[in-house]
């Protein structure tokens, strides 16, 4: 069909469908985002749905194929509202206010106080910074130390993006161990639903969708493990064909390694998303260039010289970091985070069998360095039996974990040596030494009998002291680096505590075992079971797979280090599993220190105990231990420490001679931001007009009454009731989504496990009562089988609230606007919405205008003030229709013209405000481009040119463009006859 557009204001060379225009296609209303002219099928129009059935859906139309009608605000038809107390008009206006994305000009937070969490200012800071004028895009690295609540900070930022229309498509990438934990936090506290695509979930989707379809388009908001997604070969073509509104990458320090699969994943995602949130408690590896490379994911032109840059000037808008002792954090925590107690180093004197192993290691594998060079033969005798002294220390570490782990290491080494020259004297000597060592380990029983292992005996003693045992609700988590040790402990410890013999499987009653060899689904089940109060699990044996991001503090405040990592970072990460925001009990730490009486033996006092002491000192002084050694990766820290020991050094020397001293000033500046406070004492709040005083509960109540009055039970099973535990009170709503197909369709985006476990399709319980919602969340944590609460807290962005909002939006016909007749109105007042957008289709300026004085002396005032003056509210009774509906209709074009002129002035003010930061970034981009090119060629040169082009295009797209969207929402006028009782 030929296009039917008819733009009144079209000028020479101007497209007749500019961004911001409303069009009618296929009997639905759409908003033009972008137009590409001169295709064989006419203009290509990229649009987003406005009317109910296509709302927020993206579509592409061709003007020579589809009939495209341009909707002009001048054609708005006014109709009287005769509903009780003008409820229909009030709901319609409120719905428009709620559905309109906040503009780029609005930098205040709109939703910070409306969620199921404590309103802590420090947790609102990342959202404030990401949305500030300092950021062209909402991109930020959240580097708060372990336990401060980075997940909550991410949730707050994502919610603000949703409110701004910039959070429709969300991808969250986390370690597999925290998938459900992250998913649960975002749903229960923020009403942001993420569908978990673990290894099984993504396979299921691929079976359900047509062959070749992109699985990441099946759901709009998903969470997936980095371990699943990093298989770039399998998913690259899907990821390269999709654009996201927001991408979150948790534990992002793993992206620093160039050439790794994780980094390749980040390189694909970063340029294909508007908002990018990186999170890591350890974001720095001590190397300036590596950190600059990580920051380049957020802004590729932020750092001109990766060897010399200023943390505040170059990174201040991209990076935020606090510790527990930061003033703002410390002052706000209160009772929500109990102070940790001292780490108890529990000495375990080696048994006779263990002393024989110490003696063998000391004499043949780790002999003391010779103090004389006069006798070559003596020196030869004092050397390690192994040609690989690093392996000798590995033997020591595995033994300090357990004799079981030592045995496994010996067997593996024997297999390695068997592949070498069997006649080589060095190989023969080492194999003989391994045989002796293996015989010594085999002399110790693996059944866990008292007296076999000093550390095992001490562990059992300590667990009994904690109170772990049959009939007790006390819990403890036991960490070990070695899987063999974990499996052995899970087998031998429970019987010694009085639990019946069991295997540490999903069916076990008292013990759970978690390590990197488990699938993501198995790890989730372990974590969930340990976090449920009524679940019978009492002991969790885990490796360092649980040391990053996993919350274990819900039902536990006792942690035992069965062995100790040779890394301050790893010790701190372990402790952070129970020492974190929300821990109401004093976190208590115990470390088992194996000691030896063998002269020269390197027992746990040589390394582990000294590291524990230094970690505790660093925690008290700085709130974090990561900068203590000058290394910022646990693996690197441990590798360098072992090399120090191999070369005859000590732990003290290693800790006191941190490398990279020339970067001390840089790191001090970088980590010194922990005390920085932004310009507001409290982040500014967005100014959003509301006819219900911003009270979502009142809006929902009125909407339900309007839509389902007198037939709620028949249609959706709606009822208002008291909490089942009536003595504790609390109101909630009970709905039957199965009876409302449009609601049920929306709920399919909710976490499948939540839908299934709570039977949401048949009965969905929701509440505005924060105390009730908190209690139900706590009840879920105290349950046996699920940690999903049965009652969902209603936030502004909850799918049920959004469903009601959309339903009341269509109470009036296409291009109809209601007339509210109020005796308090002196002159006809036209309420007009005005929006300017950028080339990306995102609002830059939004104005809510009240136009009066037509036609001769027009004035533009505030929509909110006009509604207040007219006393539009639940007490304004209908006392008559408008005086002259046709006369009002004749004034619509004039009202639109006045509003358009006022909006143009607002646009100019915004353009002036944003011009300086845009100009500054253009200058920065030019310098980066010019300084990056010398000395490079080929692929790298093409990458630089492409980056510069894309960033330049982004700058152009951020500016306001096209014609504005103007919409007459309602008219306020006097009633046709005088009122006798305006209020009831």
């Amino acid at each position: 069909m030929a296009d039917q557009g008819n733009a009144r204001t079209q000028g020479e060379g101007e497209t007749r469908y500019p961004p911001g225009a409303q069009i009618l296609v296929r009997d639905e209303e759409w908003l033009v985002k972008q137009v590409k002219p001169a295709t064989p099928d006419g203009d290509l129009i990229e649009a987003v749905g406005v009317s109910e059935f296509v709302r927020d859906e993206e579509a592409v139309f061709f003007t020579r194929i589809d009939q495209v009608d341009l909707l002009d605000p001048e054609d708005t038809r006014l109709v009287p509202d005769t509903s009780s107390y003008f409820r229909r008009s009030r709901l319609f206006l409120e719905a428009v206010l709620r559905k309109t994305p906040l503009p780029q000009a609005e930098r205040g937070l709109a939703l910070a106080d409306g969620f199921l969490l404590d309103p802590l200012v420090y947790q609102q800071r990342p959202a404030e910074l990401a949305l500030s004028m300092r950021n062209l895009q909402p991109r930020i690295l959240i580097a708060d130390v372990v336990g401060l609540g980075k997940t909550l900070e991410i949730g707050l930022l994502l919610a603000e993006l949703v409110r701004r229309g910039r959070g429709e498509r969300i991808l969250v990438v986390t370690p597999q161990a925290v998938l459900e934990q992250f998913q649960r936090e975002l749903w229960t506290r923020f009403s942001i639903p993420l569908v978990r695509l673990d290894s099984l979930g993504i396979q299921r989707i691929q079976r359900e969708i047509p062959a070749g379809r992109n699985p990441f388009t099946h759901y709009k908001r998903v969470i997936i493990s980095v371990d699943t997604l990093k298989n770039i070969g399998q998913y690259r073509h899907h990821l390269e064909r999709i654009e996201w509104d927001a991408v979150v990458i948790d534990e992002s320090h793993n992206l620093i390694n160039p050439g790794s699969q994780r980094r390749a994943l980040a390189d694909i995602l970063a340029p294909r998303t508007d908002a990018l949130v990186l999170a890591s408690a350890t974001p720095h590896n001590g190397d300036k260039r590596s950190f600059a490379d990580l920051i380049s994911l957020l802004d590729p032109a932020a750092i001109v010289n990766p060897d010399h840059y200023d943390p505040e000037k170059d990174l201040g808008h991209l990076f935020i970091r606090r510790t527990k002792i930061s003033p703002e954090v410390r002052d706000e925590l209160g009772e929500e985070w109990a102070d940790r107690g001292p780490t108890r180093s529990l000495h375990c004197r080696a048994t006779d069998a263990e002393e024989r192993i110490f003696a063998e290691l000391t004499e043949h594998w780790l002999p003391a360095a010779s103090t004389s060079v006069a006798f070559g033969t003596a020196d030869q005798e004092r050397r390690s039996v192994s040609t690989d002294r690093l392996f000798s220390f590995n033997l020591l570490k595995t033994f300090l974990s357990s004799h079981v782990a030592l045995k496994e290491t010996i067997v593996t080494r024997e297999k390695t040596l068997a592949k070498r020259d069997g006649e080589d004297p060095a190989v023969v000597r080492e194999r003989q030494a391994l045989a002796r060592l293996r015989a010594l380990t085999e002399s110790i029983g693996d059944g866990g009998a008292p007296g076999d292992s000093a550390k095992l005996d001490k562990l059992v003693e300590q667990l009994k002291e904690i109170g772990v045992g049959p009939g007790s609700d006390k819990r403890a988590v036991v960490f070990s680096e070695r899987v063999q040790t974990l499996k052995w402990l899970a087998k031998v410890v429970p019987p010694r505590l009085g639990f019946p013999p069991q295997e540490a499987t999903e069916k076990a009653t008292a013990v759970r075992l978690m390590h990197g060899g488990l699938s993501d689904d198995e790890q989730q089940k372990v974590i969930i079971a340990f976090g449920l109060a009524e679940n019978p699990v009492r002991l969790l044996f885990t490796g360092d797979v649980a040391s990053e991001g996993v919350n274990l503090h819900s039902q536990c405040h006792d942690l035992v280090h069965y062995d100790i990592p040779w890394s301050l970072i790893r010790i701190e990460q372990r402790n952070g599993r129970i020492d974190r925001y929300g821990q109401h009990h004093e976190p208590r730490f115990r470390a088992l220190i194996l000691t030896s009486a063998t002269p020269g033996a390197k027992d746990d006092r040589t390394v582990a105990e000294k590291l524990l002491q230094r970690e505790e000192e660093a925690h008290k002084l700085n709130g974090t231990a990561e900068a203590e050694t000058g290394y910022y990766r646990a693996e690197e820290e441990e590798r360098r420490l072992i090399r120090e020991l191999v070369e005859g050094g000590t732990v003290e020397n290693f800790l006191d001679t941190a490398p990279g001293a020339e970067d001390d000033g840089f790191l001090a500046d970088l980590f010194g931001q922990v005390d920085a406070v932004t310009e507001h004492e409290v982040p500014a709040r967005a100014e959003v007009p509301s006819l219900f005083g911003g009270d979502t509960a009142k809006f929902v109540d009125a909407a339900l009454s309007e839509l389902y009055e007198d037939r709620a039970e028949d249609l959706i099973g709606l009822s208002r009731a008291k909490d089942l535990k009536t003595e504790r009170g609390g109101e909630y709503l009970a709905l039957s989504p199965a009876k409302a197909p449009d609601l049920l369709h929306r709920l399919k985006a909710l976490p499948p496990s939540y839908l299934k476990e709570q039977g949401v399709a048949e009965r969905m319980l929701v509440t505005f009562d924060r105390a009730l919602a908190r209690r139900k969340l706590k009840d879920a944590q105290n349950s046996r089988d699920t940690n999903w609460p049965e009652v969902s807290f209603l936030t502004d962005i909850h799918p049920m609230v959004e469903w009601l909002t959309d339903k009341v939006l269509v109470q009036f016909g296409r291009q109809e606007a209601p007339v509210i007749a109020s005796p308090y109105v002196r002159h006809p007042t036209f309420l007009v919405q005005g929006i300017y957008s950028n080339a990306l289709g995102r609002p830059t300026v939004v104005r809510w205008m009240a136009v009066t004085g037509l036609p001769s002396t027009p004035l533009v005032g505030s929509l909110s003030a006009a509604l207040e003056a007219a006393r539009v509210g639940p007490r304004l009774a209908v006392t008559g229709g408008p005086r002259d509906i046709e006369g009002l209709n004749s004034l619509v074009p004039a009202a639109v013209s006045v509003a358009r002129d006022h909006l143009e002035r607002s646009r100019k003010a915004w353009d002036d405000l944003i011009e300086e930061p845009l100009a500054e970034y253009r200058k920065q981009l030019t310098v980066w481009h010019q300084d990056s090119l010398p000395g490079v060629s080929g692929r790298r040169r093409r990458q630089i040119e492409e980056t510069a082009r894309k960033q330049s295009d982004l700058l152009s797209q951020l500016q306001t463009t096209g014609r504005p969207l103007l919409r007459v929402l309602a008219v306020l006028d006097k009633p046709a006859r005088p009122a006798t009782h305006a209020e009831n």
Side-chain angles (χ1 to χ4, degrees):
M1 294 184 181
D3 56 9
Q4 303 294 316
N6 180 25
R8 286 189 177 89
T9 59
Q10 182 182 348
E12 184 177 354
E14 178 187 353
T15 174
R16 61 177 58 183
Y17 308 109
Q22 276 191 289
I23 56 176
L24 181 66
V25 187
R26 303 173 191 174
D27 203 38
E28 297 292 345
E29 294 177 48
W30 306 82
L31 188 70
V32 176
K33 292 179 61 178
Q34 187 175 3
V35 178
K36 299 178 181 178
T39 72
D41 298 313
D43 290 349
L44 182 153
I45 301 176
E46 295 180 4
V48 60
V50 174
S51 52
E52 180 188 20
F53 294 109
V54 294
R55 184 171 305 283
D56 298 327
E57 295 293 332
E58 296 180 352
V60 173
F61 304 112
F62 294 90
T63 56
R64 291 182 182 172
I65 297 177
D66 293 289
Q67 177 169 322
V68 182
D69 294 316
L70 188 65
L71 299 179
D72 282 318
E74 290 88 346
D75 296 330
T76 302
R77 187 169 63 92
L78 304 180
V79 296
D81 180 9
T82 58
S83 64
S84 178
Y85 297 100
F86 300 103
R87 186 169 65 190
R88 187 174 300 171
S89 293
R90 290 188 289 112
L91 287 170
F92 169 72
L93 289 170
E94 180 74 9
V96 173
L97 292 166
R98 286 175 173 270
K99 289 299 291 187
T100 302
L102 295 184
Q104 199 171 350
E106 178 55 76
R107 300 294 172 154
L109 304 185
L111 305 175
D113 304 318
F115 300 113
L116 197 62
L117 67 162
D118 299 317
L120 303 179
V121 170
Y122 85 84
Q123 291 182 347
Q124 298 169 13
R125 293 289 184 210
E128 178 189 34
L129 178 58
L131 298 171
S132 70
M133 287 292 293
R134 301 177 68 186
N135 272 306
L136 298 182
Q137 293 175 285
R139 293 180 161 226
I140 189 171
L141 166 60
I142 303 177
D144 287 344
V145 300
V146 174
L148 260 65
K150 287 188 288 296
T151 303
L152 301 181
E153 294 168 354
I154 292 169
L156 283 165
L157 175 52
L158 291 179
E160 290 292 334
L161 293 176
V162 170
R163 182 62 183 86
R164 285 161 168 76
R166 304 175 74 169
E168 186 68 15
R169 297 196 58 83
I170 297 174
L171 172 67
V172 177
V173 184
T174 74
Q176 62 184 16
V178 299
L179 274 177
E180 179 150 339
Q181 172 184 298
F182 205 112
Q183 178 194 37
R184 186 176 63 254
E185 289 287 278
L186 260 64
W187 171 247
T188 59
R189 298 190 183 279
F190 301 97
S191 304
I192 299 177
L194 300 175
V195 173
R196 190 172 79 243
L197 296 185
D198 51 23
S199 55
L200 297 177
I202 200 168
Q203 291 174 14
R204 183 185 67 252
I205 289 178
Q206 288 179 317
R207 290 194 300 267
E208 294 175 354
I209 63 178
R213 183 175 173 184
N214 193 331
F216 299 109
T217 63
H218 195 68
Y219 296 105
K220 290 189 174 182
R221 296 171 181 171
V222 299
I223 182 169
I224 190 168
S225 80
V226 66
D227 304 278
T228 298
L229 203 56
K230 73 180 183 182
N231 189 342
I232 298 301
Q234 182 176 354
Y235 298 119
R236 176 184 289 272
H237 65 291
H238 290 310
L239 296 173
E240 289 178 339
R241 292 163 51 198
I242 191 168
E243 298 287 332
W244 302 94
D245 289 322
V247 169
V248 177
I249 303 179
D250 196 16
E251 304 299 343
S252 55
H253 52 268
N254 295 314
L255 308 178
I256 285 181
N257 302 321
S260 68
Q261 288 182 315
R262 286 180 170 87
R263 180 49 190 257
L265 168 64
D267 287 336
I268 291 175
L269 294 175
R272 291 172 173 82
T273 181
D274 176 34
L276 178 61
V277 184
L278 306 180
S280 172
T282 55
H284 202 289
N285 68 354
D287 179 71
K288 276 187 175 181
R289 296 187 67 90
S290 294
F291 192 68
D293 186 53
L294 180 66
I295 291 295
S296 72
L297 292 170
L298 301 171
D299 182 349
I303 298 175
V304 176
N305 186 340
D307 292 314
H308 301 284
Y309 53 94
D310 182 270
E312 176 56 31
K313 179 183 176 182
D314 298 326
L315 311 183
H317 61 300
L318 299 170
F319 173 82
I320 189 168
R321 175 179 176 79
R322 284 76 55 85
T323 75
K324 188 179 179 181
I325 66 172
S326 301
E328 187 174 58
V329 177
R330 184 185 60 237
D331 294 343
E332 286 195 288
L333 285 176
E335 298 179 355
E336 289 301 315
W337 191 349
D339 289 333
R340 61 183 270 186
T343 300
R344 292 174 57 190
S345 294
L346 304 168
H347 286 202
C348 312
R349 184 172 181 176
T351 64
D352 291 344
E354 290 169 334
E355 285 289 16
R356 287 191 287 272
I357 295 177
F358 268 121
E360 180 71 18
L361 290 172
T362 302
E363 182 176 356
H364 298 291
W365 296 88
L366 296 164
S370 174
T371 57
S372 171
V373 295
F375 305 100
T377 54
D379 285 346
Q380 182 70 22
E381 291 173 358
R382 297 182 65 82
R383 291 175 184 165
S384 171
V385 72
S386 176
T387 56
D388 182 357
R389 292 205 63 188
L390 290 176
F391 172 71
S392 298
F393 273 89
N394 187 38
L395 274 181
L396 173 65
K397 281 202 69 186
T398 55
F399 173 55
L400 292 175
S401 178
S402 72
H403 68 283
V404 177
L406 177 60
K407 187 189 302 183
E408 180 76 15
T409 301
I410 292 170
V411 171
T412 300
R413 181 67 173 177
E414 286 177 329
K415 291 178 180 178
T416 300
L417 293 179
K419 300 175 183 179
R420 299 182 182 177
D421 184 0
E423 302 300 322
D424 184 339
V427 172
V428 172
R429 185 166 59 251
E430 184 170 349
R431 291 178 66 179
Q432 290 173 344
L434 285 170
R436 292 195 305 271
L437 200 55
R438 178 155 53 89
L440 292 174
T441 63
E442 290 173 346
S443 69
I444 304 176
D446 293 348
D452 283 346
S453 165
K455 287 172 65 176
L456 174 61
D457 290 347
K458 182 64 73 172
L459 174 64
V460 172
E461 172 193 302
Q462 291 302 307
L463 291 175
K464 289 180 178 179
E465 181 181 296
I466 292 169
V468 177
S472 170
D473 61 359
K474 294 292 185 180
R475 300 188 184 205
V477 55
V478 179
F479 270 94
S480 172
E481 289 190 299
R482 308 290 171 167
V483 174
Q484 296 82 9
T485 301
L486 291 170
K487 291 180 177 179
W488 174 63
L489 291 174
K491 178 180 179 181
V492 301
V493 170
R496 291 186 59 174
L497 294 175
F499 293 112
Q502 56 187 311
E503 293 294 328
T505 66
E506 183 185 335
K507 297 180 180 179
T509 56
V511 63
R512 288 289 190 276
L513 174 64
M514 181 171 163
H515 53 78
L518 301 182
S519 69
D520 47 12
D521 184 59
E522 291 170 324
Q523 290 186 23
Q524 295 300 316
K525 290 178 179 178
V526 169
I527 295 170
I528 290 171
F530 192 69
L532 297 175
E534 293 302 315
N535 193 288
V537 65
R538 293 295 176 264
L539 269 177
L540 172 60
F541 294 100
T542 184
D544 289 322
V545 66
S547 67
E548 292 188 350
V550 177
N551 293 342
L552 300 177
H553 66 295
S554 177
Q555 309 297 335
C556 175
H557 51 277
D558 285 285
L559 183 150
V560 181
H561 297 279
Y562 192 80
D563 53 37
I564 295 90
W566 287 7
S567 159
L568 296 179
I569 296 172
R570 190 70 77 195
I571 294 171
E572 180 180 73
Q573 288 174 332
R574 279 187 180 183
N575 290 344
R577 297 316 97 213
I578 66 168
D579 182 20
R580 58 195 307 106
Y581 175 72
Q583 174 62 271
H584 297 147
H585 301 275
E586 176 189 286
R588 299 184 299 197
F589 305 106
R590 294 168 170 83
L592 306 184
I593 304 297
L594 186 61
T595 66
S596 172
T598 300
K602 293 178 172 59
D603 59 18
D604 272 325
R605 292 172 295 186
T606 306
V607 177
E609 191 166 38
K610 294 173 182 176
L611 291 178
L612 287 169
Q613 293 169 352
R614 187 62 69 94
E615 186 274 339
E616 190 162 349
E617 292 171 4
H619 180 83
K620 290 177 180 178
L621 292 175
N622 305 315
T624 179
E626 65 178 322
E628 190 73 12
T629 62
Y631 298 106
Y632 299 87
R633 289 290 172 269
E635 297 80 5
E636 175 72 1
E637 179 189 3
E638 182 172 320
R639 186 175 68 83
R640 292 298 185 99
L641 172 56
I642 292 176
R643 185 166 296 280
E644 173 87 16
L645 297 173
V646 166
E647 295 173 355
T650 64
V651 173
E652 292 86 349
N653 184 65
F654 173 76
L655 293 174
D656 294 338
T657 57
E662 68 276 8
D663 281 344
D664 283 351
F666 166 76
L667 294 177
D669 289 342
L670 183 68
F671 295 119
Q673 294 186 64
V674 299
D675 292 336
V677 176
T678 52
E679 57 185 349
H680 304 289
E681 279 296 318
V682 175
R685 295 300 188 255
E687 296 183 8
V688 183
S690 173
L691 281 80
F692 291 82
D695 192 327
T696 303
K698 291 181 179 178
F699 168 69
V700 168
D701 186 66
L704 289 172
S705 298
E706 174 66 24
L707 297 170
Y708 296 107
E709 197 168 32
D710 300 328
R711 55 196 180 97
E713 288 289 346
D714 294 336
L715 187 59
I716 60 171
L718 179 69
S719 64
R720 205 175 268 284
K722 287 290 183 182
D723 184 359
L724 298 177
K725 298 180 180 179
T726 54
E727 74 279 2
R728 303 176 73 180
E731 276 197 343
Y732 64 83
L733 291 170
L735 301 95
S736 297
K739 297 183 180 181
D742 52 345
L743 173 59
L744 187 62
H745 176 74
R746 291 174 183 253
L747 298 183
K748 290 182 179 179
L750 271 58
S753 57
Y754 165 70
L755 292 173
K756 180 180 179 181
E757 292 177 16
Q758 294 299 334
V760 171
E762 297 301 322
R763 187 168 183 259
M764 183 180 188
L765 306 181
V766 294
T767 186
F768 286 105
D769 188 323
R770 197 180 301 269
L772 172 63
R774 286 182 182 275
R775 190 162 66 248
K776 289 301 182 181
L777 185 58
K778 186 65 176 178
D779 288 347
Q781 295 170 343
N782 291 335
S783 70
R784 178 186 178 97
D785 302 316
T786 181
N787 52 11
W788 292 109
E790 62 175 330
V791 178
S792 175
F793 183 66
L794 285 172
T795 72
D796 280 6
I797 58 176
H798 192 285
M800 183 261 196
V801 176
E802 293 183 334
W803 166 71
L804 280 175
T805 303
D806 287 342
K807 290 188 78 68
V808 300
L809 272 175
V810 295
Q811 291 299 291
F812 296 96
R814 180 177 298 133
Q815 286 193 286
E816 286 185 348
V819 179
I820 302 173
S822 168
Y824 305 103
V825 176
R826 297 181 60 187
H827 305 286
T829 303
F830 290 76
L831 307 182
V832 185
Q833 176 194 45
I835 301 176
Y836 259 116
S837 298
N838 58 28
L840 298 172
R842 300 190 181 105
T844 55
V845 179
V846 175
R847 289 292 180 267
W848 305 97
M849 297 168 280
V851 180
T852 60
L854 296 173
S856 57
T857 56
L859 294 173
V860 179
S862 160
L863 178 146
S864 295
L867 288 169
E868 184 177 354
R871 302 190 189 181
V872 176
R875 298 176 64 84
L876 179 64
V878 178
T879 57
R883 293 176 295 175
D884 180 10
I885 195 75
E886 292 305 320
L888 292 175
N889 270 305
S890 69
L891 292 175
V892 168
V896 172
S897 177
V898 171
R900 181 179 286 114
D901 291 342
H902 181 80
L903 184 62
E904 180 62 27
R905 290 192 292 274
S906 297
R907 169 194 174 163
K908 181 64 167 60
W910 164 250
D911 288 345
D912 291 344
L913 181 64
I914 199 175
E915 180 54 35
E916 182 177 349
L918 288 180
E920 185 66 28
Y921 192 85
R922 285 192 189 94
K923 179 181 177 181
Q924 170 82 4
L925 181 61
T926 300
V927 173
W928 176 86
H929 186 201
Q930 293 174 346
D931 288 3
S932 300
L933 288 176
V936 300
S937 60
R939 181 181 178 185
R940 177 55 185 158
R941 188 178 188 88
R942 291 192 297 272
Q943 288 176 337
I944 293 170
E945 296 286 2
E946 178 68 7
T947 297
R949 183 189 65 78
K950 287 183 176 179
Q951 293 301 108
S952 180
D953 289 346
L954 174 62
L955 289 171
S956 300
Q957 292 171 336
L958 292 176
Q959 293 177 300
T960 299
T961 186
R963 63 181 280 177
L965 166 66
L966 287 157
R967 185 179 184 186
V968 178
L969 301 177
V971 177
L972 306 176
D973 194 17
K974 281 184 175 294
R977 57 184 176 83
T980 54
H981 297 287
E983 295 183 359
N984 293 337

